[in-house]
Amino acid sequence: MRKMEIGFWGIESILDFVTIAGKFKERILLVCGDSIVNAKSLLSVLSMSTVEGLELMVQEDSCDSLLKHLELYVEHGRLIGGKC
């Protein structure tokens, strides 16, 4: 399992994120405190999108291709930081 902080910068970034996540077979979750949602579900991601300190959790260890596609979100998460 791999975890990293991520962030969004507008509705377009959320739509793009869900589209990218949906193209991969890995189980991808967004986590903040006790809240855990499916990162492939637009409504679920929208419900968490304003949370600072949002973590991306990928269930499989071999997810390098997925992480490469999501590196902008990981970088943005590093920039905004914060905790749930």
Side-chain angles (χ1 to χ4, degrees), residues 24-72:
F24 289 86
K25 65 176 176 31
E26 290 89 354
R27 184 161 186 235
I28 309 165
L29 304 171
L30 292 180
V31 180
C32 187
D34 292 337
S35 299
I36 301 172
V37 299
N38 180 354
K40 296 180 182 183
S41 165
L42 180 58
L43 289 177
S44 295
V45 175
L46 285 170
S47 73
M48 300 278 277
S49 64
T50 60
V51 174
E52 291 181 4
L54 191 59
E55 285 188 312
L56 175 72
M57 185 168 62
V58 182
Q59 298 292 328
E60 291 81 10
D61 287 329
S62 60
C63 57
D64 294 334
S65 179
L66 168 65
L67 295 179
K68 183 175 180 170
H69 282 86
L70 297 177
E71 65 188 347
L72 286 175

Side-chain angles (χ1 to χ4, degrees), residues 4-9 17 54 56 67-82:
M4 64 224 55
E5 200 165 312
I6 67 163
F8 301 108
W9 54 93
F17 174 86
L54 191 59
L56 175 72
L67 295 179
K68 183 175 180 170
H69 282 86
L70 297 177
E71 65 188 347
L72 286 175
Y73 302 93
V74 174
E75 185 61 31
H76 192 72
R78 287 186 194 131
L79 291 174
I80 61 173

